[in-house]
Amino acid sequence: MNAFYEHHKDSIQFGYRCFDRLLLNGLIQPFQQPERVIGFFNTYRHVYPVSRDVLREIAEQFQNWVVNRSQKWGAPILEAPEDRRDKFLDPYFRKAQQNQIVAIIKAREPARIMIAIGNKKDNRWHLQIAQRWVVQYNFYVNDEHWGRMFVRMCPYLPFSARVCLNQHSWLAARMREEDLNFQQCTNAFLKCCNPTRLQELADSLTARDVLNCGQKWLAAFTPLLHRKGAQTGWLSASTIFRPDRTLR
């Protein structure tokens, strides 16, 4: 960056510092251990052992829920494009309202999932975590505070998730609230009528701003973890689904 600055300093009108992309990993801590998954199913679903069919049925329930929600939201389920997803999704965000789910991209991506090893004849199974390429769902949202963002959900136990935010989008929303004139080009501000205020806003971002957004959308996209009655017995998402505190 120093060499870049020295070479272009005569053309630079102002500078600022902020985060670019923020990745917030979400997980259900008890589901990271096979023995606790077995205990969960035994206690809340009265299912033992946890077979391959049980795990497959849960993933199918999530996938059916996504299809149902996409129709209700008016958000199409799209296959992953070969080119950059940001450019591909530009038309879907163009007239998006606040907190609107604009599209869902379905793609095969690597994930750590719980698998059942055994055989149906003896009905004896044990669980373990394995790395697999599976279909995951990327929910693209126009958040009221963070603007353009997405949440990736894995439909397979242990239901890993990732929230992707961008402080440039957050800053653009803050500057619009204060009626500041600026020009944004993807992940950079090319012009700003008040660079000092831009930096003040960038420095005002807190971990709570990030976590509030992550928790809000993780709860919205984890339907299987909401209690539906004594027979299904899923725990509330708000009590066991929480984002990892590590940001990178």
Side-chain angles (χ1 to χ4, degrees):
M1 290 298 294
N2 290 336
F4 177 89
Y5 174 78
E6 289 298 325
H7 188 271
H8 296 282
K9 61 182 179 181
D10 294 336
S11 301
I12 297 175
Q13 296 181 2
F14 71 96
Y16 67 94
R17 302 177 308 278
C18 76
F19 289 105
D20 185 14
R21 295 183 184 271
L22 294 169
L23 300 180
L24 187 64
N25 294 320
L27 55 85
I28 305 170
Q29 191 63 50
F31 284 0
Q32 307 307 304
Q33 300 170 290
E35 59 273 16
R36 300 188 71 176
V37 171
I38 294 172
F40 173 83
F41 276 93
N42 188 34
T43 301
Y44 293 99
R45 283 225 169 170
H46 309 294
V47 172
Y48 183 84
V50 181
S51 66
R52 189 178 296 120
D53 288 341
V54 170
L55 298 180
R56 184 182 297 115
E57 180 186 357
I58 291 173
E60 290 174 352
Q61 289 176 15
F62 185 93
Q63 292 163 348
N64 291 336
W65 176 86
V66 172
V67 172
N68 178 275
R69 293 294 93 182
S70 72
Q71 296 171 353
K72 182 175 181 179
W73 294 329
I77 299 176
L78 309 169
E79 297 292 336
E82 295 183 1
D83 298 330
R84 289 181 58 86
R85 295 183 186 182
D86 288 348
K87 183 177 180 181
F88 174 75
L89 288 163
D90 280 344
Y92 297 91
F93 277 99
R94 197 157 290 146
K95 296 182 180 180
Q97 303 298 313
Q98 288 188 347
N99 292 326
Q100 179 182 344
I101 296 93
V102 302
I104 304 167
I105 285 186
K106 180 175 69 172
R108 289 185 64 84
E109 297 170 313
R112 293 177 70 253
I113 67 171
M114 190 74 67
I115 63 173
I117 299 176
N119 62 80
K120 293 185 178 180
K121 180 180 179 180
D122 299 328
N123 197 28
R124 298 182 64 181
W125 305 88
H126 74 272
L127 303 181
Q128 69 180 50
I129 294 286
Q131 187 82 1
R132 294 287 188 271
W133 282 80
V134 296
V135 171
Q136 300 191 69
Y137 294 90
N138 300 268
F139 297 85
Y140 284 81
V141 179
N142 184 38
D143 183 75
E144 60 181 322
H145 300 299
W146 282 88
R148 189 166 172 163
M149 58 167 287
F150 75 86
V151 180
R152 185 180 69 196
M153 297 293 304
C154 179
Y156 298 90
L157 270 164
F159 307 119
S160 60
R162 170 167 287 184
V163 181
C164 183
L165 307 173
N166 191 316
Q167 195 184 2
H168 284 94
S169 298
W170 184 86
L171 280 169
R174 303 288 76 73
M175 288 193 287
R176 280 191 289 268
E177 290 174 356
E178 299 190 9
D179 199 26
L180 296 177
N181 186 32
F182 67 94
Q183 180 183 350
Q184 183 180 4
C185 178
T186 59
N187 292 335
F189 294 111
L190 303 183
K191 295 180 180 180
C192 180
C193 66
N194 191 340
T196 300
R197 183 56 181 159
L198 167 61
Q199 188 60 61
E200 290 173 351
L201 290 170
D203 293 339
S204 70
L205 180 71
T206 68
R208 179 51 53 189
D209 295 314
V210 177
L211 292 174
N212 283 343
C213 181
Q215 290 170 337
K216 169 185 173 180
W217 292 109
L218 286 174
F221 299 138
T222 52
L224 297 179
L225 299 178
H226 288 285
R227 185 175 297 279
K228 296 181 180 179
Q231 293 183 345
T232 52
W234 285 103
L235 294 181
S236 168
S238 62
T239 61
I240 64 174
F241 203 117
R242 59 181 180 273
D244 191 333
R245 292 300 192 268
T246 301
L247 299 178
R248 57 179 180 174

